[in-house]
Amino acid sequence: MTLTSLPGIWPALLTPLQDDLSIDPLRFAAHARALLAAGCGGVTPFGTTGEGPSFSVAERIAAVDALVAGGVPGANILVSTSCAALPDTLALTRHALAVGAWGVLMLPPFFLKGVTDQGIVDAYAWVLDRSGDAGVDPRLRVMLYHIPQVAGLGLSHAVIAELLRHYPGSIVGIKDSAGDRAHALALADAFMPGLTVHVGHEPDLPALGRRGSTGAVSGLANFMPRTVRRLVLQPDDAQTPAALARIERLLRVLGGYALIPALKGVMAALHDDAAWLRVRAPLVGLDAAGLAALRTALAPLALDPAID
């Protein structure tokens, strides 16, 4: 493991909400502390799983401050700073540096379509070049985030190579959430061990672990951190095939629902806490009947956040 590689499992934090659909800072910090206590390397707020683009810059800054005030060390936070407007991404990136975050997770520019590779490089450069008082902040670690099915565009090998050429000390890894194992392995062949490649699709974790991947930023790790850890860090352990089969069964269950409401539904079911069902529009949370059906579907898996 290199000094800059992302170590261990970093759950892509679900964002708990209050009755008025504002972020619940106490529940947010408590969830993060519980995951650190379960052995996670850190936590990742405000990515796709955390409904990041649904919250304002001010809300996201306040929530990260609440994590730190609530006992989550900055060094154990990988902040997703992605926004459609570059000044907003920059503001969140500078704030992450100010609280001592381990690093930032950053999407390519989304919303506008037909963007060229040069445009993507220019967008990253605009943020990185302004992260410090006189250019690139030397503390900055950036995990590039490839999720084209959500962002509407992805990160080509040429873009990654160009960013590495200009920012070799700042670009430290790639989170590949495309759900395409061949693509993830091609990234590993092209850029590891210089960069770490992490996959968001949990069934692909053993294959990347065998290539030297050091961990994962995972949605399922919100309630199965130890199982996710086994998949990537112990890919050839005798218990890993059974863990992988269980993960695949869970994903088949979740495939019948919109993903983020379903993940929050799992939290609600496991902790008997309906507050976890709240989501920001345009997402629609599970209703009582939907939660009951999800509970029934989950029962054979015997999920247990105390051991999973």
Side-chain angles (χ1 to χ4, degrees):
M1 185 184 299
T2 66
L3 180 65
T4 55
S5 60
L6 188 70
I9 302 307
W10 294 58
L13 280 182
L14 292 160
T15 307
L17 303 179
Q18 304 187 85
D19 285 339
D20 63 357
L21 301 186
S22 62
I23 296 169
D24 185 334
L26 297 180
R27 194 184 301 270
F28 201 35
H31 180 43
R33 289 195 307 270
L35 290 167
L36 294 181
C40 291
V43 293
T44 305
F46 298 120
T48 306
T49 301
E51 303 170 71
S54 294
F55 302 105
S56 70
V57 169
E59 286 178 304
R60 290 161 73 170
I61 285 175
V64 171
D65 284 341
L67 288 179
V68 175
V72 182
N76 297 107
I77 305 175
L78 172 69
V79 185
S80 178
T81 62
S82 306
C83 298
L86 294 181
D88 292 343
T89 301
L90 176 60
L92 291 171
T93 299
R94 285 178 170 170
H95 178 259
L97 288 165
V99 300
W102 186 92
V104 299
L105 178 66
M106 198 179 297
L107 281 168
F110 54 92
F111 182 74
L112 295 176
K113 303 302 181 281
V115 176
T116 65
D117 278 1
Q118 187 60 54
I120 295 172
V121 171
D122 289 348
Y124 277 104
W126 195 95
V127 175
L128 271 62
D129 287 344
R130 292 164 174 80
S131 60
D133 293 335
V136 181
D137 192 301
R139 301 170 295 169
L140 182 63
R141 295 189 184 113
V142 178
M143 291 281 295
L144 303 175
Y145 189 9
H146 177 77
I147 184 167
Q149 69 273 29
V150 173
L153 75 169
L155 295 166
S156 69
H157 284 215
V159 163
I160 296 167
E162 185 71 0
L163 289 171
L164 273 174
R165 187 171 73 85
H166 285 287
Y167 305 101
S170 298
I171 307 298
V172 299
I174 306 163
K175 179 181 182 335
D176 181 6
S177 293
D180 179 343
R181 186 176 303 179
H183 180 268
L185 291 174
L187 285 175
D189 289 342
F191 297 106
M192 287 178 68
L195 290 184
T196 53
V197 177
H198 302 281
V199 285
H201 185 54
E202 288 84 1
D204 295 340
L205 287 172
L208 268 293
R210 294 184 186 102
R211 297 293 183 96
S213 185
T214 59
V217 177
S218 160
L220 297 187
N222 277 279
F223 43 82
M224 300 181 75
R226 299 168 186 84
T227 301
V228 172
R229 183 183 189 278
R230 179 184 301 279
L231 292 185
V232 65
L233 297 181
Q234 299 174 276
D236 297 313
D237 184 85
Q239 298 181 46
T240 297
L244 178 59
R246 195 156 166 257
I247 287 280
E248 290 172 334
R249 287 173 63 198
L250 173 60
L251 289 174
R252 286 194 292 272
V253 169
L254 297 179
Y257 301 84
L259 181 59
I260 296 168
L263 291 174
K264 284 191 161 182
V266 174
M267 289 292 292
L270 293 179
H271 296 281
D272 196 24
D273 183 359
W276 273 107
L277 296 176
R278 299 170 187 144
V279 294
R280 274 264 176 106
L283 297 178
V284 177
L286 297 181
D287 59 16
L291 178 59
L294 180 62
R295 284 183 187 273
T296 298
L298 292 174
L301 293 170
L303 300 181
D304 183 350
I307 60 174
D308 283 322

